[in-house]
Amino acid sequence: MPDLSTLGRRVRHFRTQAGLTLDRLGRDVDVAPSQLSLIENGRREPRITLLTAIATRLGVTVGDLLDEAPPSPRAALEIALERAQGGSAYRELGLPELRPTRSMPDDVLRTLVGLHRELDRRARQAIATPEEARRANTRQRLRMEAVDNHVPEIEALASEDVAAVGHAGGALTHRSVSLMAERLGLSIVHADDLPHSARCVLDLESGRIYIPPASIPGGHGLRSLALQAMAHIRLGHGEPQDYADFLRQRQDASYYAAACLMPETAAVAFLESAKRARDIAIEDFRDAFGVTHEAAALRFSNLATVHLGIRLHFLRAGGDGALVRAYENDGLPLPVDVTGAAEGQILCRYWSARRAFARTTRTTEYFQYTDTPVGTFFEATQTGTTEAEEFSITLGVPFEESRWFRGRETQNRAASRCPDLSCCRRPDAESAERWGGRAWASARVHAHIFSPLPQGTYPGVDDRELYEFLESHAGEPR
Ligand SMILES: [Zn+2]
């Protein structure tokens, strides 16, 4: 059944085409003209018997009347205007409803519909302002801290899914990931022309997961991407309603992928044994499951508090010292802005996450004890570089938990008084005296994670690019 508005317009279209007045058609199908008028205006749903009588009298089929397409470009505009005026965004304005009368020129109608579209686009864009994104990010971080970064439901789902393809432990192979996809009726397709704004595309109609070409055999990133796409289906995600919803879906999908790559039972067994040997090291955990250092450190944060009783913090910092991602349930005083957001804030230069950049040998983890106003922490940091910048991944724990970790005998020690500005942000009096008013510098524009994103159904993904991509691949054999 099409919507009543479209149905009514189709009835009117075929009636005027047949050259019949409302009165005449009403007489012929034995119904009052006023009733017909209500149907044509989309205000009443006709019984199927009446619809059949109308179709017969107009020389068309019931299917013609029930077709979901507007009967003419003019009708399409009228329907678009009605829908826009019926939406909550327009109702909030408290303006009267404008009915598209026959005397209203097409141009006027087209302009009104165009304005409504723009109004709608702007409303959607406002949802993803940096401000809103930061607040949503913070709420999500606090929500995860409250549950010690552990989600039992997703753990159970991932354990079930990897067990179903016979995976017990060690690195999850590409083959196993393909088998998992098959169980969902999906096939993994490598495409070298993915939209620039997307790292992975799921075509629900043809059952394909498009991911980039496997340029690095055995690369962990591709398995993770495919698993995140499957998570979309396994976790029952729909189109995100707002940025917070988008963020939650994305984090749940990453969680699912990580829980597949490092399944709870096998991962906990591995970590418990390392703890017994007092030799916990993220690099070992990473190597045992064939994942990146960041994935291993994050996964450790999912499991360590609930299963090993260890509270901790996780930091990803950029080479400029700005925090890209953070989690803590051990009381580490993260730098935050007035909204409570930590992402984008500059970390104390004495913390391990920044001091590790100064090292020349970066093949192994850097260890350090950091004294802070709330106590001493033991931290292990691994640095790395992407094409764009260098970064560091830090896993830290309160001093008393350092006894379980490799590197605890380190002599590296630093004192931090942050967030006290005199710790590392405010220049000392002498150099302020020396340089104040005698220098000028131009700031590097921070390519921030929340910079304006192209607006589409999914924040950051350009719908046009996405649909063009899907279109170009749609006809390919599976
Ligand atoms: Zn500091």
Side-chain angles (χ1 to χ4, degrees):
M1 191 66 148
D3 63 42
L4 294 181
S5 173
T6 304
L7 173 63
R9 282 193 168 74
R10 291 191 72 86
V11 171
R12 179 180 298 148
H13 173 77
F14 288 114
R15 176 177 62 75
T16 50
Q17 218 174 40
L20 298 181
T21 61
L22 273 175
D23 284 340
R24 181 61 208 266
L25 179 60
R27 260 204 312 282
D28 291 352
V29 298
D30 199 21
V31 70
S34 59
Q35 295 298 306
L36 270 186
S37 176
L38 285 172
I39 290 169
E40 289 194 355
N41 286 322
R43 312 224 151 182
R44 173 153 304 175
E45 184 173 350
R47 291 170 180 281
I48 193 73
T49 46
L50 175 58
L51 211 54
T52 312
I54 292 173
T56 310
R57 178 63 189 87
L58 298 178
V60 297
T61 65
V62 173
D64 287 331
L65 297 181
L66 288 175
D67 196 297
E68 287 176 25
S72 65
R74 165 79 189 194
L77 285 171
E78 290 177 0
I79 292 167
L81 181 65
E82 259 176 27
R83 284 203 184 132
Q85 292 185 152
S88 59
Y90 186 75
R91 298 210 163 162
E92 279 169 16
L93 300 177
L95 294 172
E97 196 177 322
L98 192 63
R99 292 202 67 80
T101 56
R102 224 172 308 166
S103 61
M104 187 184 283
D106 285 7
D107 284 355
V108 174
L109 206 47
R110 207 169 291 126
T111 302
L112 286 171
V113 169
L115 286 171
H116 275 293
R117 287 218 175 99
E118 179 59 17
L119 207 58
D120 182 56
R121 193 190 70 81
R122 289 188 186 209
R124 284 164 150 277
Q125 189 171 37
I127 287 166
T129 56
E131 172 78 10
E132 181 52 31
R134 291 174 75 75
R135 287 184 192 279
N137 240 12
T138 303
R139 280 194 300 269
Q140 177 72 5
R141 176 166 55 79
L142 296 177
R143 193 159 33 228
M144 291 310 289
E145 284 173 16
V147 295
D148 291 328
N149 221 18
H150 189 81
V151 186
E153 303 77 37
I154 303 181
E155 295 287 354
L157 198 63
S159 296
E160 185 188 318
D161 290 354
V162 292
V165 297
H167 178 74
L172 185 67
T173 61
H174 282 80
R175 169 80 184 140
S176 296
V177 173
S178 291
L179 290 173
M180 289 171 70
E182 268 176 39
R183 290 186 70 240
L184 296 174
L186 299 170
S187 55
I188 298 172
V189 178
H190 295 275
D192 56 12
D193 60 342
L194 278 167
H196 295 292
S197 54
R199 48 183 197 157
C200 173
V201 169
L202 184 57
D203 179 347
L204 293 166
E205 196 182 274
S206 71
R208 296 195 194 109
I209 300 172
Y210 294 101
I211 56 177
S215 53
I216 310 158
H220 133 271
L222 294 183
R223 283 176 290 152
S224 180
L225 278 185
L227 290 166
Q228 287 177 54
M230 291 181 225
H232 184 71
I233 293 176
R234 286 298 272 144
L235 301 172
H237 290 165
E239 281 184 12
Q241 296 307 301
D242 51 28
Y243 184 83
D245 199 22
F246 158 77
L247 199 66
R248 197 161 38 241
Q249 287 190 2
R250 185 142 175 165
Q251 293 209 349
D252 283 354
S254 302
Y255 194 113
Y256 172 83
C260 289
L261 289 164
M262 295 158 271
E264 189 170 31
T265 308
V268 170
F270 179 91
L271 294 173
E272 276 175 341
S273 139
K275 187 184 175 192
R276 272 193 301 276
R278 295 185 166 225
D279 195 29
I280 298 177
I282 298 300
E283 58 176 61
D284 288 359
F285 187 41
R286 167 195 77 197
D287 295 344
F289 289 88
V291 296
T292 64
H293 200 87
E294 180 169 24
L298 271 175
R299 185 66 179 137
F300 185 79
S301 75
N302 295 147
L303 303 171
T305 306
V306 168
H307 289 288
L308 308 178
I310 296 173
R311 305 186 85 74
L312 52 85
H313 59 265
F314 167 91
L315 308 170
R316 180 184 169 118
D320 56 0
L323 203 49
V324 177
R325 182 165 189 182
Y327 167 82
E328 63 83 15
N329 67 354
D330 63 0
L332 181 79
L334 293 175
V336 291
D337 68 12
V338 287
T339 69
E343 294 76 11
Q345 297 297 298
I346 302 295
L347 286 177
C348 177
R349 65 163 71 188
Y350 301 119
W351 288 8
S352 177
R354 291 191 67 185
R355 298 239 303 184
F357 286 121
R359 286 202 312 162
T360 45
T361 313
R362 296 184 177 181
T363 47
T364 54
E365 289 175 274
Y366 166 78
F367 304 110
Q368 171 179 308
Y369 286 98
T370 311
D371 300 325
T372 79
V374 297
T376 299
F377 293 87
F378 169 74
E379 302 182 294
T381 298
Q382 177 72 56
T383 52
T385 43
T386 64
E387 279 166 34
E389 64 157 18
E390 42 178 7
F391 64 91
S392 73
I393 304 297
T394 299
L395 197 290
V397 295
F399 177 79
E400 60 276 18
E401 302 290 354
S402 66
R403 63 199 153 127
W404 309 114
F405 287 79
R406 181 180 304 164
R408 63 182 169 277
E409 64 291 335
T410 183
Q411 298 301 308
N412 297 323
R413 197 154 189 130
S416 159
R417 284 174 291 109
C418 273
D420 181 341
L421 288 177
S422 69
C423 168
C424 60
R425 300 298 290 279
R426 192 177 286 155
D428 60 61
E430 197 181 328
S431 59
E433 174 72 18
R434 168 76 184 85
W435 291 107
R438 293 188 186 85
W440 183 89
S442 171
R444 178 147 48 139
V445 175
H446 207 85
H448 206 263
I449 34 173
F450 301 130
S451 57
L453 303 165
Q455 287 310 299
T457 310
Y458 290 89
V461 176
D462 184 323
D463 273 353
R464 180 170 170 152
E465 261 194 349
L466 173 66
Y467 297 153
E468 280 170 359
F469 169 81
L470 287 170
E471 196 60 49
S472 76
H473 283 270
E476 291 169 6
R478 293 192 58 178

